[in-house]
mmCIF file with all atom_site columns, all heavy atoms in Angstrom:
data_model
loop_
_atom_site.group_PDB
_atom_site.id
_atom_site.type_symbol
_atom_site.label_atom_id
_atom_site.label_alt_id
_atom_site.label_comp_id
_atom_site.label_asym_id
_atom_site.label_entity_id
_atom_site.label_seq_id
_atom_site.pdbx_PDB_ins_code
_atom_site.Cartn_x
_atom_site.Cartn_y
_atom_site.Cartn_z
_atom_site.occupancy
_atom_site.B_iso_or_equiv
_atom_site.pdbx_formal_charge
_atom_site.auth_seq_id
_atom_site.auth_comp_id
_atom_site.auth_asym_id
_atom_site.auth_atom_id
_atom_site.pdbx_PDB_model_num
ATOM 1   N N   . LEU B 1 323 ? -18.950 45.069 20.267 1.00 93.00 ? 352 LEU B N   1
ATOM 2   C CA  . LEU B 1 323 ? -19.518 44.408 21.545 1.00 93.00 ? 352 LEU B CA  1
ATOM 3   C C   . LEU B 1 323 ? -19.812 45.508 22.514 1.00 93.00 ? 352 LEU B C   1
ATOM 4   O O   . LEU B 1 323 ? -19.035 46.230 22.937 1.00 93.00 ? 352 LEU B O   1
ATOM 5   C CB  . LEU B 1 323 ? -18.477 43.326 22.074 1.00 93.00 ? 352 LEU B CB  1
ATOM 6   C CG  . LEU B 1 323 ? -18.716 42.771 23.508 1.00 93.00 ? 352 LEU B CG  1
ATOM 7   C CD1 . LEU B 1 323 ? -19.951 41.967 23.462 1.00 93.00 ? 352 LEU B CD1 1
ATOM 8   C CD2 . LEU B 1 323 ? -17.455 42.040 24.053 1.00 93.00 ? 352 LEU B CD2 1
ATOM 9   N N   . LEU B 1 324 ? -21.110 45.451 23.026 1.00 95.00 ? 353 LEU B N   1
ATOM 10  C CA  . LEU B 1 324 ? -21.508 46.309 24.101 1.00 95.00 ? 353 LEU B CA  1
ATOM 11  C C   . LEU B 1 324 ? -21.566 45.425 25.428 1.00 95.00 ? 353 LEU B C   1
ATOM 12  O O   . LEU B 1 324 ? -22.050 44.294 25.336 1.00 95.00 ? 353 LEU B O   1
ATOM 13  C CB  . LEU B 1 324 ? -22.794 46.957 23.835 1.00 95.00 ? 353 LEU B CB  1
ATOM 14  C CG  . LEU B 1 324 ? -22.960 47.841 22.673 1.00 95.00 ? 353 LEU B CG  1
ATOM 15  C CD1 . LEU B 1 324 ? -24.338 48.451 22.707 1.00 95.00 ? 353 LEU B CD1 1
ATOM 16  C CD2 . LEU B 1 324 ? -21.930 48.935 22.665 1.00 95.00 ? 353 LEU B CD2 1
ATOM 17  N N   . PHE B 1 325 ? -20.934 45.861 26.563 1.00 95.00 ? 354 PHE B N   1
ATOM 18  C CA  . PHE B 1 325 ? -21.073 45.118 27.783 1.00 95.00 ? 354 PHE B CA  1
ATOM 19  C C   . PHE B 1 325 ? -21.156 45.968 28.950 1.00 95.00 ? 354 PHE B C   1
ATOM 20  O O   . PHE B 1 325 ? -20.783 47.084 28.908 1.00 95.00 ? 354 PHE B O   1
ATOM 21  C CB  . PHE B 1 325 ? -19.977 44.057 27.911 1.00 95.00 ? 354 PHE B CB  1
ATOM 22  C CG  . PHE B 1 325 ? -18.596 44.750 28.073 1.00 95.00 ? 354 PHE B CG  1
ATOM 23  C CD1 . PHE B 1 325 ? -18.067 44.988 29.289 1.00 95.00 ? 354 PHE B CD1 1
ATOM 24  C CD2 . PHE B 1 325 ? -17.822 45.209 26.978 1.00 95.00 ? 354 PHE B CD2 1
ATOM 25  C CE1 . PHE B 1 325 ? -16.840 45.570 29.589 1.00 95.00 ? 354 PHE B CE1 1
ATOM 26  C CE2 . PHE B 1 325 ? -16.542 45.826 27.186 1.00 95.00 ? 354 PHE B CE2 1
ATOM 27  C CZ  . PHE B 1 325 ? -16.027 45.982 28.567 1.00 95.00 ? 354 PHE B CZ  1
ATOM 28  N N   . THR B 1 326 ? -21.622 45.329 29.958 1.00 95.00 ? 355 THR B N   1
ATOM 29  C CA  . THR B 1 326 ? -21.818 46.093 31.228 1.00 95.00 ? 355 THR B CA  1
ATOM 30  C C   . THR B 1 326 ? -21.035 45.203 32.339 1.00 95.00 ? 355 THR B C   1
ATOM 31  O O   . THR B 1 326 ? -20.844 44.089 32.281 1.00 95.00 ? 355 THR B O   1
ATOM 32  C CB  . THR B 1 326 ? -23.266 46.212 31.725 1.00 95.00 ? 355 THR B CB  1
ATOM 33  O OG1 . THR B 1 326 ? -23.738 44.917 31.947 1.00 95.00 ? 355 THR B OG1 1
ATOM 34  C CG2 . THR B 1 326 ? -24.129 46.870 30.639 1.00 95.00 ? 355 THR B CG2 1
ATOM 35  N N   . VAL B 1 327 ? -20.632 46.079 33.338 1.00 94.00 ? 356 VAL B N   1
ATOM 36  C CA  . VAL B 1 327 ? -19.921 45.583 34.349 1.00 94.00 ? 356 VAL B CA  1
ATOM 37  C C   . VAL B 1 327 ? -20.622 45.621 35.636 1.00 94.00 ? 356 VAL B C   1
ATOM 38  O O   . VAL B 1 327 ? -21.324 46.703 35.946 1.00 94.00 ? 356 VAL B O   1
ATOM 39  C CB  . VAL B 1 327 ? -18.421 46.129 34.461 1.00 94.00 ? 356 VAL B CB  1
ATOM 40  C CG1 . VAL B 1 327 ? -17.749 45.756 35.751 1.00 94.00 ? 356 VAL B CG1 1
ATOM 41  C CG2 . VAL B 1 327 ? -17.705 45.899 33.343 1.00 94.00 ? 356 VAL B CG2 1
ATOM 42  N N   . GLN B 1 328 ? -20.664 44.582 36.516 1.00 92.00 ? 357 GLN B N   1
ATOM 43  C CA  . GLN B 1 328 ? -21.400 44.692 37.910 1.00 92.00 ? 357 GLN B CA  1
ATOM 44  C C   . GLN B 1 328 ? -20.826 45.796 38.746 1.00 92.00 ? 357 GLN B C   1
ATOM 45  O O   . GLN B 1 328 ? -19.428 45.936 38.788 1.00 92.00 ? 357 GLN B O   1
ATOM 46  C CB  . GLN B 1 328 ? -21.298 43.347 38.532 1.00 92.00 ? 357 GLN B CB  1
ATOM 47  C CG  . GLN B 1 328 ? -22.352 43.150 39.518 1.00 92.00 ? 357 GLN B CG  1
ATOM 48  C CD  . GLN B 1 328 ? -22.278 41.781 40.309 1.00 92.00 ? 357 GLN B CD  1
ATOM 49  O OE1 . GLN B 1 328 ? -20.952 41.372 40.540 1.00 92.00 ? 357 GLN B OE1 1
ATOM 50  N NE2 . GLN B 1 328 ? -23.213 41.117 40.621 1.00 92.00 ? 357 GLN B NE2 1
ATOM 51  N N   . GLY B 1 329 ? -21.571 46.418 39.339 1.00 90.00 ? 358 GLY B N   1
ATOM 52  C CA  . GLY B 1 329 ? -21.172 47.610 40.190 1.00 90.00 ? 358 GLY B CA  1
ATOM 53  C C   . GLY B 1 329 ? -20.924 48.958 39.434 1.00 90.00 ? 358 GLY B C   1
ATOM 54  O O   . GLY B 1 329 ? -20.645 49.908 40.048 1.00 90.00 ? 358 GLY B O   1
ATOM 55  N N   . GLU B 1 330 ? -21.079 48.898 38.212 1.00 91.00 ? 359 GLU B N   1
ATOM 56  C CA  . GLU B 1 330 ? -20.947 50.220 37.498 1.00 91.00 ? 359 GLU B CA  1
ATOM 57  C C   . GLU B 1 330 ? -22.187 50.497 36.660 1.00 91.00 ? 359 GLU B C   1
ATOM 58  O O   . GLU B 1 330 ? -23.053 49.491 36.340 1.00 91.00 ? 359 GLU B O   1
ATOM 59  C CB  . GLU B 1 330 ? -19.730 50.117 36.444 1.00 91.00 ? 359 GLU B CB  1
ATOM 60  C CG  . GLU B 1 330 ? -18.494 50.082 37.123 1.00 91.00 ? 359 GLU B CG  1
ATOM 61  C CD  . GLU B 1 330 ? -17.358 50.409 36.050 1.00 91.00 ? 359 GLU B CD  1
ATOM 62  O OE1 . GLU B 1 330 ? -17.467 51.401 35.408 1.00 91.00 ? 359 GLU B OE1 1
ATOM 63  O OE2 . GLU B 1 330 ? -16.482 49.427 35.975 1.00 91.00 ? 359 GLU B OE2 1
ATOM 64  N N   . THR B 1 331 ? -22.531 51.670 36.439 1.00 92.00 ? 360 THR B N   1
ATOM 65  C CA  . THR B 1 331 ? -23.714 52.070 35.806 1.00 92.00 ? 360 THR B CA  1
ATOM 66  C C   . THR B 1 331 ? -23.335 52.527 34.273 1.00 92.00 ? 360 THR B C   1
ATOM 67  O O   . THR B 1 331 ? -24.239 53.519 33.768 1.00 92.00 ? 360 THR B O   1
ATOM 68  C CB  . THR B 1 331 ? -24.407 53.254 36.551 1.00 92.00 ? 360 THR B CB  1
ATOM 69  O OG1 . THR B 1 331 ? -23.614 54.276 36.683 1.00 92.00 ? 360 THR B OG1 1
ATOM 70  C CG2 . THR B 1 331 ? -24.788 52.770 37.934 1.00 92.00 ? 360 THR B CG2 1
ATOM 71  N N   . VAL B 1 332 ? -22.603 52.022 33.678 1.00 93.00 ? 361 VAL B N   1
ATOM 72  C CA  . VAL B 1 332 ? -22.261 52.453 32.314 1.00 93.00 ? 361 VAL B CA  1
ATOM 73  C C   . VAL B 1 332 ? -22.122 51.328 31.363 1.00 93.00 ? 361 VAL B C   1
ATOM 74  O O   . VAL B 1 332 ? -22.068 50.092 31.782 1.00 93.00 ? 361 VAL B O   1
ATOM 75  C CB  . VAL B 1 332 ? -20.831 53.145 32.342 1.00 93.00 ? 361 VAL B CB  1
ATOM 76  C CG1 . VAL B 1 332 ? -20.810 54.583 33.079 1.00 93.00 ? 361 VAL B CG1 1
ATOM 77  C CG2 . VAL B 1 332 ? -19.811 52.323 32.788 1.00 93.00 ? 361 VAL B CG2 1
ATOM 78  N N   . ILE B 1 333 ? -22.355 51.643 30.175 1.00 94.00 ? 362 ILE B N   1
ATOM 79  C CA  . ILE B 1 333 ? -22.166 50.648 29.055 1.00 94.00 ? 362 ILE B CA  1
ATOM 80  C C   . ILE B 1 333 ? -20.857 50.867 28.234 1.00 94.00 ? 362 ILE B C   1
ATOM 81  O O   . ILE B 1 333 ? -20.637 51.961 27.930 1.00 94.00 ? 362 ILE B O   1
ATOM 82  C CB  . ILE B 1 333 ? -23.362 50.714 28.041 1.00 94.00 ? 362 ILE B CB  1
ATOM 83  C CG1 . ILE B 1 333 ? -24.684 50.554 28.752 1.00 94.00 ? 362 ILE B CG1 1
ATOM 84  C CG2 . ILE B 1 333 ? -23.307 49.707 26.969 1.00 94.00 ? 362 ILE B CG2 1
ATOM 85  C CD1 . ILE B 1 333 ? -25.873 50.707 27.856 1.00 94.00 ? 362 ILE B CD1 1
ATOM 86  N N   . TYR B 1 334 ? -20.147 49.767 28.102 1.00 94.00 ? 363 TYR B N   1
ATOM 87  C CA  . TYR B 1 334 ? -18.886 49.851 27.456 1.00 94.00 ? 363 TYR B CA  1
ATOM 88  C C   . TYR B 1 334 ? -19.051 49.305 26.078 1.00 94.00 ? 363 TYR B C   1
ATOM 89  O O   . TYR B 1 334 ? -19.871 48.548 25.787 1.00 94.00 ? 363 TYR B O   1
ATOM 90  C CB  . TYR B 1 334 ? -17.774 49.107 28.179 1.00 94.00 ? 363 TYR B CB  1
ATOM 91  C CG  . TYR B 1 334 ? -17.354 49.586 29.455 1.00 94.00 ? 363 TYR B CG  1
ATOM 92  C CD1 . TYR B 1 334 ? -17.804 49.173 30.613 1.00 94.00 ? 363 TYR B CD1 1
ATOM 93  C CD2 . TYR B 1 334 ? -16.488 50.713 29.511 1.00 94.00 ? 363 TYR B CD2 1
ATOM 94  C CE1 . TYR B 1 334 ? -17.495 49.583 31.829 1.00 94.00 ? 363 TYR B CE1 1
ATOM 95  C CE2 . TYR B 1 334 ? -16.008 51.163 30.770 1.00 94.00 ? 363 TYR B CE2 1
ATOM 96  C CZ  . TYR B 1 334 ? -16.491 50.598 31.913 1.00 94.00 ? 363 TYR B CZ  1
ATOM 97  O OH  . TYR B 1 334 ? -16.051 50.963 33.118 1.00 94.00 ? 363 TYR B OH  1
ATOM 98  N N   . ALA B 1 335 ? -18.102 49.724 25.122 1.00 93.00 ? 364 ALA B N   1
ATOM 99  C CA  . ALA B 1 335 ? -18.133 49.254 23.807 1.00 93.00 ? 364 ALA B CA  1
ATOM 100 C C   . ALA B 1 335 ? -16.709 48.791 23.421 1.00 93.00 ? 364 ALA B C   1
ATOM 101 O O   . ALA B 1 335 ? -15.830 49.408 23.739 1.00 93.00 ? 364 ALA B O   1
ATOM 102 C CB  . ALA B 1 335 ? -18.655 50.132 22.818 1.00 93.00 ? 364 ALA B CB  1
ATOM 103 N N   . LEU B 1 336 ? -16.626 47.633 22.756 1.00 91.00 ? 365 LEU B N   1
ATOM 104 C CA  . LEU B 1 336 ? -15.350 47.256 22.171 1.00 91.00 ? 365 LEU B CA  1
ATOM 105 C C   . LEU B 1 336 ? -15.581 47.034 20.655 1.00 91.00 ? 365 LEU B C   1
ATOM 106 O O   . LEU B 1 336 ? -16.674 46.510 20.178 1.00 91.00 ? 365 LEU B O   1
ATOM 107 C CB  . LEU B 1 336 ? -15.083 45.845 22.822 1.00 91.00 ? 365 LEU B CB  1
ATOM 108 C CG  . LEU B 1 336 ? -14.229 45.678 24.064 1.00 91.00 ? 365 LEU B CG  1
ATOM 109 C CD1 . LEU B 1 336 ? -14.133 44.314 24.450 1.00 91.00 ? 365 LEU B CD1 1
ATOM 110 C CD2 . LEU B 1 336 ? -12.864 46.370 23.810 1.00 91.00 ? 365 LEU B CD2 1
ATOM 111 N N   . THR B 1 337 ? -14.586 47.259 20.001 1.00 89.00 ? 366 THR B N   1
ATOM 112 C CA  . THR B 1 337 ? -14.700 47.151 18.541 1.00 89.00 ? 366 THR B CA  1
ATOM 113 C C   . THR B 1 337 ? -13.654 46.039 18.017 1.00 89.00 ? 366 THR B C   1
ATOM 114 O O   . THR B 1 337 ? -12.457 46.089 18.473 1.00 89.00 ? 366 THR B O   1
ATOM 115 C CB  . THR B 1 337 ? -14.420 48.445 17.764 1.00 89.00 ? 366 THR B CB  1
ATOM 116 O OG1 . THR B 1 337 ? -15.119 49.447 18.416 1.00 89.00 ? 366 THR B OG1 1
ATOM 117 C CG2 . THR B 1 337 ? -14.759 48.386 16.287 1.00 89.00 ? 366 THR B CG2 1
#
Side-chain angles (χ1 to χ4, degrees):
Chain B
L352 167 70
L353 299 185
F354 67 94
T355 63
V356 170
Q357 203 185 33
E359 291 191 54
T360 58
V361 293
I362 301 175
Y363 291 97
L365 270 178
T366 314

